[in-house]
Amino acid sequence: MRDNFLLRLSAALLALAPGVGCLERDAALSEVEISVPAASAPCVYFKSLAPFLPEALEGFTVARTQGSTGKYGEVSVSEAERLFTRGEGREVKVRIVDTTMGEKIGQAIRDAADRAKGRAPSDPAAPIHWKDAVGFVRYDAEEALAEANLLVGDRFVVAVTSRGFPGTVEVRRVARGIDLAGLARLQ
């Protein structure tokens, strides 16, 4: 219950981020930027996170790229996100987040991965325990929505979501393709 609260709280904070902090989109899209000096937030500036987003996914088109860094009271959040789309209603979104709430969110991710540790590797909801990341995976068959949430380097949260795929194979494949070791070294 507590883990769900923390995950919902972090999702709510992340949803607020583009509307309040710095927002930058690809030149092909409208660009809005509200200046928040990088030094004022204890998080990595979003422009340092963006290089860890996949540049391309085979068979997909980049629909949008955005990022923001902001401070909301005592909470600082920095994020970079890229959305990929493909016909047939399929999409994949990759979001990398650094936040002062990282310790609590990280613990919730670790706890969820530990609870799922007994699942067989072939189980679509088997946890992720890689060298530079730990995480959990969910799939909603009714919505054809898969989600992998990873804690990278005990600091960064990487969320990979897919829509329109029959399982979690795509989110795992995309997550594996991210330079998690490089992200873990980012300061």
Side-chain angles (χ1 to χ4, degrees):
M1 182 85 145
R2 183 172 182 266
D3 293 343
N4 287 339
F5 169 76
L6 288 173
L7 292 173
R8 284 194 315 270
L9 177 62
S10 66
L13 286 170
L14 297 177
L16 287 175
V20 182
C22 292
L23 177 65
E24 185 172 283
R25 299 180 188 264
D26 278 344
L29 301 173
S30 62
E31 186 176 314
V32 178
E33 193 165 333
I34 302 170
S35 182
V36 176
S40 70
C43 298
V44 172
Y45 193 54
F46 75 93
K47 288 184 179 183
S48 297
L49 298 174
F52 294 96
L53 296 169
E55 285 292 319
L57 296 179
E58 188 175 334
F60 285 83
T61 301
V62 175
R64 77 170 181 264
T65 299
Q66 59 188 24
S68 65
T69 296
K71 189 164 172 57
Y72 317 95
E74 297 299 313
V75 177
S76 293
V77 178
S78 190
E79 68 174 337
E81 176 183 289
R82 185 162 289 142
L83 175 66
F84 300 89
T85 59
R86 181 165 90 187
E88 307 124 30
R90 292 185 173 188
E91 66 180 41
V92 174
K93 180 170 43 173
V94 179
R95 176 183 273 181
I96 302 172
V97 179
D98 186 21
T99 177
T100 54
M101 291 187 60
E103 190 173 318
K104 290 179 181 179
I105 296 169
Q107 189 58 52
I109 291 172
R110 274 191 224 89
D111 290 348
D114 286 345
R115 281 192 305 276
K117 208 170 197 168
R119 294 179 184 261
S122 60
D123 185 326
I128 292 173
H129 290 279
W130 297 334
K131 181 180 178 197
D132 297 298
V134 62
F136 66 94
V137 181
R138 296 189 293 208
Y139 183 69
D140 179 342
E142 192 173 301
E143 297 289 326
L145 180 68
E147 181 178 23
N149 290 284
L150 305 172
L151 176 63
V152 178
D154 286 324
R155 177 175 180 170
F156 303 100
V157 176
V158 174
V160 180
T161 57
S162 70
R163 184 173 306 276
F165 290 89
T168 62
V169 172
E170 191 68 13
V171 294
R172 289 175 186 276
R173 182 186 70 78
V174 171
R176 271 273 187 218
I178 297 170
D179 179 9
L180 300 174
L183 181 60
R185 289 189 303 269
L186 187 62
Q187 295 296 316

